[in-house]
Amino acid sequence: MDAAPLTVAPAGEERLYRRLAARLSIQTKLMMILLLTAIASVAIVGFVEFQYGAKELQLAATNKLVQARELQRRAITGLFADMTNSLTVFSGGAVASGALTAFTAGFDELARVAVTPEQQRAIADYYRDNFTKALGERAGDQPDVAAFLPTSNAQRYLQAHYTVADSQRSDGDSSAWAAANAQFNDIFGDIVHLNGYQDGLLLDTRGNVVYSVNKGVDLGTNVLTGPYRESGLQGAYRKTLAANAVNFVWITDFAPYQPNLDTPTAWLVSPVGTKGVVEGVMALALPSAKITEIMTVGRDWDAAGLGRTAESYLAGPDGLMRSDSRLFLEDPDRYRREAMAAGTSESTVDRALRWGTTTLVQPVAGPGLRAAQRGQSGTLNTGHDYLGKRELTAYAPLTVPNSDLQWSILSTREYADAYSGVTSFLRRVVLATTGVIFAICMLAMLLARLFLQPIRRLQAAAQRISAGDYSAVVPACTADEIGDLTRAFNDMSRSLRTKEEMLDQQRRQNDELMLSLMPESLVRRYRGGEQAIADEHHNVSVIYAELQGIEQVSAEVTASELVTLVDDLVRQFDAAAEAVGVERIRTMHNGYLAGCGLTTPRLDGVHRVVEFACEMQRIVERFAIKSGHRLSLWAAINTGEVVSGLVGRSGVTYDLWGPAVNRAYQLRRDTTESGIYVTAAVRDMLDEDQKFVAVGTGDAQDQIWRLSETP
């Protein structure tokens, strides 16, 4: 095969190119070089910045989802911890023990009480026409009535008088069980209803349900041998009795519970007894709706900042949800379409709609769930959710002590929604890069002309300095007068830059000093020239504390040691205040004034200030033990309206005034002993777990309380 001939430009064309290049001025050539270099630089920088910005936006979206996951995980574990503590306290008390004793005795007595044929027929009719019919409609098949009918005389008696009659108190019942019900029913009813439980049961040591708040079909049954022995309650009952400890609590996973028409129910079970003797068991039925309420933030996703598609849900080891789907709650019809399109069977979707929940119904298998079930925590952006959408997932295992829960928590958001900011950022980068390139083109033409004009170059550099850019330096390319002027200009630029750095350092020191005296918002206003700065605040919690014994210490140590001692204590107080979100106002002599809710409104300001006071007390106690000096803390806490502002001119002071502050100061006259004192307003806002002792009324004629136990 012949080789292709080489193409050689004619001699005439080469001479034409040379003539055109020769005719281009140096200014034109320089402008072209500057344009090509600048455009290439901007393009590279734009690309790099886009890559970095996109990565940061993706990281921000992921971090937001992780934060939502952690908030929900803490909320769920906190819920179970609160319920466990409450159940332990109540089941181990005398009320629960007395109730169980009374109901058990009454239940045993009913074994010998006659049940009329009419009552037995009413029971059979109720199970046939009401309970099994409703259970069949929910489950999708008709159950056998005979399998659920009461088998013991006591069970028939109780269900005839309470379950069939749909009554909490039967007027026709004069048994000992009825007397116990009249005495304790309201107490247990309040526990169940106020805490969102579905039902509450008391069981004796033989497995008999001797009491039920709802008086349902499980009243009088036996969890070991009765018709509902396959429920999760049986295992929890056995485990609770086997623990043989009155402070034990066991929590079961959600499972359908037939007496509640197969509603997904979890059980919190604890022994009942006093003095370490287990007398029976108390069981509280937790419906899945309570968990869903937390996982869906009360269905107010927008207020929680979750956007259009983000949601958090729980999943069990069986790969089924333990809380409701967001789309299921917002738009059931759309949920049906998308879930079936993603592969969920029609029967499963229909069951979720029939039950009114996706708990124990909707499968959510995916890589995130599998990783969480292996005990891992992390994020994924490659999986698809149960609706078939590509999603960003933050997953983690959920650990609940004293339970058989093996749940996983997943916070998800549709991929397109999560990374919508990246698309917007790309559009902005393209527009900005185009604008910058256009600006560079114009600037290149200008610089090309100015390159041949050294005086204008110095002028441009001088303009940069006048605008505050002291880094401007002009190259000294010649050894003539222009070169000398250029070098003198550069010396001036370096001198100005050095002075500017010194001024910046001084400004930073001034900023740090002012921020140590007042909040940042007041610093800006003070620098803005406001003459009188004062603000009114509502619902602010204040604490005024004094070190007692400092006068004796001052007589025992040198001045330097005294200042070091006080400085150490104040630094520890400041660190504790910052840790709990309390703002120090000022220190005076042996006093310390602080508040919560001034610059940042807080709903839990009273709790934060009390926590801070307790930490101050612990700091003083530790310091007294370590140093050997007899020091103690007196502190007064109040809440209400205050006025903050700046006073003075040569020496500016940030201070607080108002009723809340005045009352805190007044408590110093009303109380003399060391300790933490609070007003009645503060006491009313605190938890009952905190112990207070009334110490009098004082000049203001309102009750003063002293914290008797430091948490």
Side-chain angles (χ1 to χ4, degrees), residues 8 120 431 510 565 605:
V8 180
Q120 294 191 31
L431 293 176
N510 293 340
L565 182 148

Side-chain angles (χ1 to χ4, degrees), residues 444-481:
M445 291 186 291
L446 177 62
L447 291 177
R449 292 196 305 268
L450 295 179
F451 180 77
L452 300 178
Q453 303 176 13
I455 300 300
R456 291 186 179 181
R457 184 171 54 194
L458 286 172
Q459 179 186 9
Q463 291 173 348
R464 290 172 60 189
I465 289 181
S466 66
D469 183 7
Y470 300 112
S471 63
V473 176
V474 180
C477 301
T478 61
D480 55 7
E481 292 80 4

Side-chain angles (χ1 to χ4, degrees), residues 513-523 526 646 652-654:
L513 177 60
M514 295 194 71
L515 288 174
S516 67
L517 297 175
M518 66 189 74
E520 183 179 357
S521 58
L522 268 68
V523 172
Y526 181 78
L646 301 180
V652 180
T653 301
Y654 177 64

Side-chain angles (χ1 to χ4, degrees), residues 271-284:
V272 175
T274 57
K275 299 180 180 179
V277 179
V278 176
E279 302 169 356
V281 170
M282 181 177 179
L284 298 177

Side-chain angles (χ1 to χ4, degrees), residues 90 95-96 99 103 169 180-195 211 213 282:
F90 186 77
V95 174
F103 281 118
R169 294 181 175 86
N181 184 59
Q183 180 181 358
F184 296 104
N185 189 65
D186 289 342
I187 298 175
F188 284 92
D190 289 342
I191 293 174
V192 168
H193 299 138
L194 293 179
N195 292 282
Y211 170 74
V213 172
M282 181 177 179

Side-chain angles (χ1 to χ4, degrees), residues 388-466:
K389 306 290 181 62
R390 185 182 177 185
E391 65 177 357
L392 175 63
T393 306
Y395 58 86
L398 180 69
T399 303
V400 178
N402 300 325
S403 72
D404 57 5
L405 304 182
Q406 299 178 22
W407 291 354
S408 302
I409 183 169
L410 297 98
S411 293
T412 67
R413 190 174 183 181
E414 288 186 13
Y415 187 89
D417 184 28
Y419 293 149
S420 60
V422 177
T423 304
S424 300
F425 179 65
L426 173 61
R427 186 164 48 250
R428 292 194 298 269
V429 167
V430 171
L431 293 176
T433 303
T434 302
V436 170
I437 289 176
F438 175 78
I440 289 176
C441 292
M442 303 301 296
L443 183 61
M445 291 186 291
L446 177 62
L447 291 177
R449 292 196 305 268
L450 295 179
F451 180 77
L452 300 178
Q453 303 176 13
I455 300 300
R456 291 186 179 181
R457 184 171 54 194
L458 286 172
Q459 179 186 9
Q463 291 173 348
R464 290 172 60 189
I465 289 181
S466 66

Side-chain angles (χ1 to χ4, degrees), residues 12 101 144 181 187 219 227 240 253 287 298 319 328 395 475 515 521 623 637 657 701:
T101 300
D144 182 13
N181 184 59
I187 298 175
L219 178 62
T240 302
D253 198 351
F328 174 84
Y395 58 86
L515 288 174
S521 58
F623 191 89
I637 302 173
W657 304 270
Q701 300 302 315

Side-chain angles (χ1 to χ4, degrees), residues 21 47 50 131 228 237 267 342 344 356 462 466-467 469 481 497 502 587 602:
F47 176 77
F50 169 73
F131 174 65
Y228 315 115
Y237 172 81
W267 291 96
T344 304
S466 66
D469 183 7
E481 292 80 4
R497 183 165 62 250
M502 296 175 62
T587 57
R602 298 185 186 276

